[in-house]
């Protein structure tokens, strides 16, 4: 009797799995009728999110961000450069987003992922337009030396909402960033002072006397939503993104002001009411992400 029940359960599971593979959209729509999703989340709820600062010891700032299974590793490396003539009192930021083959079976070795340059551009536009970083704060000696911040973000697991997780990792990495000590050498050039040589090796006064944090303001956070018929699904998985193709990504700063709204095509029109609903969901999500970031910073300070 027990074996019969077990075999019946297995058979039922196989039928459900086969139906999900053959008719993925119909499978998901059955859940939508009850305003729920296959992973038991309500339509407007994001997946569990976690942050760990200082994930890369060799970087000047780093963070590991997870939204559900989607995992991003962000690291910032600072280098001294000569600022361009048109902005002699400003530093620069260079952002690269990588999707190695380990992150998804859809990414093939030797072939760059199509999404990578799109996410890189979106991240650069968002971080620079949000005003999170004052580039003048990266200046060292006017017209002669400034900081170049190289931000590299690696996608370790691509299970949907890649931009959201990448932006969270980037913001967290800059929050963890400690700008190195630099000094003028005998030739008058700005050089980075290594930790073991911080005391007494340079004959001239250090340009900055100790490692310092960047002053960050208007931190940007985002939420990607799927528009499908009359439904709005927050923080979609990769499976949901593949079968319901209309995405809207809303970026708000930490004060709730709109930074950008991104809709890369899709068959569903983004009516004003739908956009307003997405913005409302993003406002709630920003509160959650700010709390998660502040908790990660507090944990780092305690350690």
């Amino acid at each position: 009797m027990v074996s019969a029940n077990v075999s019946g359960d297995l058979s039922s599971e196989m039928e459900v799995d086969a139906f999900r593979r053959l008719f993925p959209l119909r499978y998901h729509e059955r859940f939508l009728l009850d305003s729920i999703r296959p992973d038991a989340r309500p339509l407007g709820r994001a997946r569990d999110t976690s942050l760990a600062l200082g994930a890369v010891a060799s970087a000047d700032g780093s963070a590991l961000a997870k939204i559900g299974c989607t995992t991003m590793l962000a690291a910032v490396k600072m280098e001294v450069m000569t600022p361009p003539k048109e902005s002699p009192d400003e530093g620069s930021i260079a952002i690269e987003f990588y999707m190695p083959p380990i992150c998804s079976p859809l990414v093939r070795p030797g072939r760059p992922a199509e999404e990578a340059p799109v996410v890189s551009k979106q991240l650069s536009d968002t971080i620079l337009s949000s005003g999170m970083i004052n580039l003048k704060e990266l200046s060292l000696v006017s017209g002669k030396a400034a900081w170049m911040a190289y931000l590299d973000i690696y996608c370790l697991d691509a299970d949907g909402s890649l931009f959201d997780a990448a932006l969270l990792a980037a913001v967290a990495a800059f929050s963890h960033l400690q700008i190195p000590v630099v000094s003028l050498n005998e030739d008058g050039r700005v050089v980075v002072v290594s930790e073991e040589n911080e005391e007494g090796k340079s004959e001239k006064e250090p340009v900055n006397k100790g490692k310092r944090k960047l002053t960050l303001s208007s931190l940007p956070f985002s939420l990607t939503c799927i528009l499908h018929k009359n439904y709005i699904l927050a923080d979609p998985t990769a499976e949901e993104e593949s079968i319901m193709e209309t995405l809207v990504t809303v970026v708000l700063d930490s004060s709730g002001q709109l930074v950008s709204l991104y809709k890369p095509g899709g068959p569903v029109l983004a009516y004003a009411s739908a956009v307003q609903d997405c913005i409302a969901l993003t406002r709630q999500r920003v509160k959650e992400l700010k709390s998660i970031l502040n908790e990660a910073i507090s944990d780092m300070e305690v350690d």
Side-chain angles (χ1 to χ4, degrees):
M1 190 74 175
V2 173
S3 60
N5 288 337
V6 171
S7 62
D9 290 343
L10 289 174
S11 175
S12 177
E13 287 179 12
M14 291 176 64
E15 289 176 3
V16 170
D17 188 57
F19 182 77
R20 183 172 189 167
R21 290 174 181 272
L22 292 172
F23 308 103
L25 183 57
R26 286 173 58 189
Y27 173 82
H28 280 264
E29 285 180 337
R30 286 191 174 186
F31 287 89
L32 294 181
L33 292 173
D34 295 321
S35 297
I36 203 167
R37 294 147 87 168
D39 59 8
R41 278 187 294 156
L43 303 188
R45 180 180 297 172
R47 292 168 290 177
D48 291 341
T49 303
S50 63
L51 262 181
L53 303 185
V56 183
S58 58
D60 296 309
S62 61
L64 181 72
K66 291 191 69 175
I67 300 178
C69 290
T70 300
T71 307
M72 299 287 171
L73 178 65
V76 182
K77 197 70 177 175
M78 305 295 286
E79 290 191 7
V80 178
M81 65 157 194
T82 301
K85 292 181 179 179
E86 56 269 21
S87 53
D89 297 317
E90 293 183 355
S92 298
I93 301 172
I95 299 173
E96 289 291 340
F97 178 75
Y98 302 94
M99 292 184 68
I102 61 167
C103 77
S104 169
L106 300 179
V107 180
R108 300 296 183 186
R111 293 184 180 181
E114 294 181 2
E115 288 179 86
V118 176
V119 176
S120 286
K121 179 69 165 57
Q122 205 176 347
L123 286 167
S124 297
D125 291 346
T126 299
I127 290 174
L128 293 175
S129 65
S130 68
M132 177 178 76
I133 297 174
N134 182 1
L135 295 180
K136 292 185 181 297
E137 196 176 342
L138 298 177
S139 177
L140 290 168
V141 180
S142 180
K144 294 184 178 180
W147 286 112
M148 166 68 84
Y150 291 97
L151 171 63
D152 292 325
I153 303 174
Y154 293 87
C155 179
L156 305 182
D157 194 336
D159 188 27
S161 299
L162 301 188
F163 175 76
D164 298 346
L167 181 60
L168 178 61
V171 170
F174 277 119
S175 298
H176 175 251
L177 173 65
Q178 287 193 317
I179 298 178
V181 177
V182 293
S183 180
L184 293 171
N185 65 9
E186 294 177 353
D187 300 326
R189 298 182 61 186
V190 174
V191 293
V192 177
V193 179
S194 60
E195 288 188 10
E196 59 269 20
N197 295 332
E198 270 188 32
E199 295 183 4
K201 185 163 183 182
S202 176
E203 295 180 1
K204 298 198 176 182
E205 188 75 10
V207 176
N208 56 326
K209 295 184 178 181
K211 289 188 175 182
R212 63 183 178 88
K213 293 276 195 179
L214 272 179
T215 303
L216 303 179
S217 60
S218 303
L219 303 182
F221 299 101
S222 66
L223 178 67
T224 297
C225 297
I226 279 182
L227 305 183
H228 181 69
K229 297 183 178 178
N230 295 322
Y231 302 104
I232 298 177
L233 289 72
D235 180 30
T237 63
E239 182 182 13
E240 290 171 335
E241 289 181 350
S242 68
I243 60 178
M244 295 179 276
E245 299 174 348
T246 303
L247 299 177
V248 172
T249 298
V250 178
V251 183
L252 302 177
D253 66 22
S254 47
S255 63
Q257 297 298 309
L258 181 66
V259 175
S260 65
L261 190 146
Y262 183 68
K263 180 182 179 293
V268 179
L269 295 176
Y271 292 104
S273 58
V275 171
Q276 289 171 357
D277 289 341
C278 291
I279 291 174
L281 288 171
T282 306
R283 285 207 167 92
Q284 183 61 41
R285 179 62 170 159
V286 167
K287 294 178 183 177
E288 297 172 4
L289 295 177
K290 284 170 59 180
S291 176
I292 291 170
L293 176 59
N294 290 335
E295 185 177 341
I297 293 172
S298 298
D299 291 343
M300 193 71 189
E301 290 173 350
V302 169
D303 294 341

